[in-house]
Amino acid sequence: MNTEARKPVDSGYEYRKAYIPLESNPVVFTELAHRLGLSESLAFVDVLSLDDPDLLAFIPRPVVAFVLVFPTSEKYHKETEADENRRKEYRGSGASEDVMWFQQTIYNACEPDSTLAEILQKAEPLTPKSRALSLEDSDDLEKAHAAAAQKGDSAVPEDPEDEVDYHYICFVKSNKNGHLYQLDGDRKGPVDLEISLAEGEDLMEKKVLDILRGFIYGEDGDNQNFSLMALAANVED
């Protein structure tokens, strides 16, 4: 299993707090999300293939998000940095936002999902930088993350600031405009991937899976060092 990564995409930001990295494990993520207050009607599941129809058929519907963890190569950093240089800093806030995005200011805390309701309610009217600070100030989030980090099959680093080689990003559908967004706390803001999903369409649509294939196979055509989870209907609920 993979653990989450440290280095931002040349953001120049100095992390103020460090968390022990989480294993990319649907059981760990589901337990953490439910502890924070996510509805138990949803759960994380492994996505074992993006090409095998039989394996894709095992994923419960609807799928409301994907979480991708992958190795960040030099090519990825260069391409992302070039893309970021063309983008303006995101300053969105309030109920009119198409998606809610958090800047990552906690080392090894790539946005996990009560505590969750309190975090979101507090964060909604804030600017991105103030939102990031509100996450840093959440003792409940820190305690829940620390407990989850001790679970799974991977060895747990003794030092939360130890650098690891993988990075988490999330893909979600906006409930405002139906667009597919890439959420990465190390970017300048949410990335609108210019894919529109109609009412009733979830993230298992071919056009979304094609985006994921591009991320996974973009380096050399056959990247095996990735892990993909879907946040989907909880069939055990």
Side-chain angles (χ1 to χ4, degrees):
M1 294 290 181
N2 298 321
T3 52
E4 60 187 344
R6 176 184 196 277
K7 280 189 175 180
V9 183
D10 196 28
S11 66
Y13 191 91
E14 292 296 328
Y15 292 115
R16 296 176 51 187
K17 185 179 286 190
Y19 284 1
I20 293 172
L22 288 182
E23 179 178 280
S24 177
N25 180 318
V27 175
V28 172
F29 267 64
T30 297
E31 184 172 320
L32 173 60
H34 288 171
R35 178 171 177 172
L36 291 174
L38 182 72
S39 169
E40 294 193 3
S41 66
L42 297 171
F44 288 92
V45 297
D46 275 323
V47 178
L48 301 178
S49 172
L50 289 172
D51 303 306
D52 187 324
D54 293 331
L55 292 175
L56 286 171
F58 279 110
I59 301 171
R61 307 287 292 270
V63 169
V64 299
F66 284 110
V67 176
L68 174 65
V69 57
F70 60 99
T72 52
S73 66
E74 188 66 26
K75 178 183 177 183
Y76 170 80
H77 280 290
K78 287 182 178 179
E79 290 179 350
T80 305
E81 184 176 355
D83 185 44
E84 287 292 270
N85 288 337
R86 294 189 293 266
R87 302 178 69 228
K88 294 182 179 180
E89 187 109 12
Y90 181 70
R91 301 186 184 279
S93 63
S96 62
E97 283 181 287
D98 292 324
V99 291
M100 184 180 289
W101 173 83
F102 287 82
Q103 180 182 20
Q104 185 181 340
T105 64
I106 301 172
Y107 182 7
N108 282 329
C110 296
E111 294 183 275
D113 295 84
S114 88
T115 297
L116 181 61
E118 181 181 337
I119 288 172
L120 295 178
Q121 183 177 17
K122 181 179 179 181
E124 183 178 72
L126 301 178
T127 64
K129 290 188 183 299
S130 296
R131 281 180 182 171
L133 295 177
S134 74
L135 281 187
E136 291 183 19
D137 291 339
S138 175
D139 291 335
D140 288 338
L141 174 63
E142 185 170 3
K143 290 175 183 176
H145 189 286
Q150 301 299 322
K151 304 191 176 187
D153 303 316
S154 303
V156 178
E158 293 184 7
D159 186 351
E161 295 191 11
D162 284 347
E163 187 172 321
V164 290
D165 299 326
Y166 290 81
H167 183 58
Y168 278 116
I169 57 177
C170 179
F171 299 88
V172 298
K173 173 186 176 181
S174 168
N175 63 6
K176 297 286 182 62
N177 62 14
H179 288 197
L180 180 70
Y181 283 85
Q182 175 189 335
L183 302 181
D184 180 342
D186 284 340
R187 302 290 294 263
K188 289 181 177 178
V191 180
D192 186 343
L193 297 173
E194 300 180 352
I195 299 292
S196 295
L197 294 163
E199 185 176 352
E201 289 186 323
D202 70 352
L203 271 63
M204 290 294 289
E205 297 295 323
K206 180 181 180 300
K207 51 193 170 184
V208 177
L209 300 183
D210 285 342
I211 292 287
L212 295 175
R213 292 185 187 104
F215 271 86
I216 293 168
Y217 303 131
E219 288 290 316
D220 55 15
D222 187 24
N223 187 353
Q224 300 298 317
N225 297 315
F226 74 92
S227 177
L228 181 66
M229 293 181 292
L231 180 59
N234 186 358
V235 294
E236 297 182 2
D237 182 36

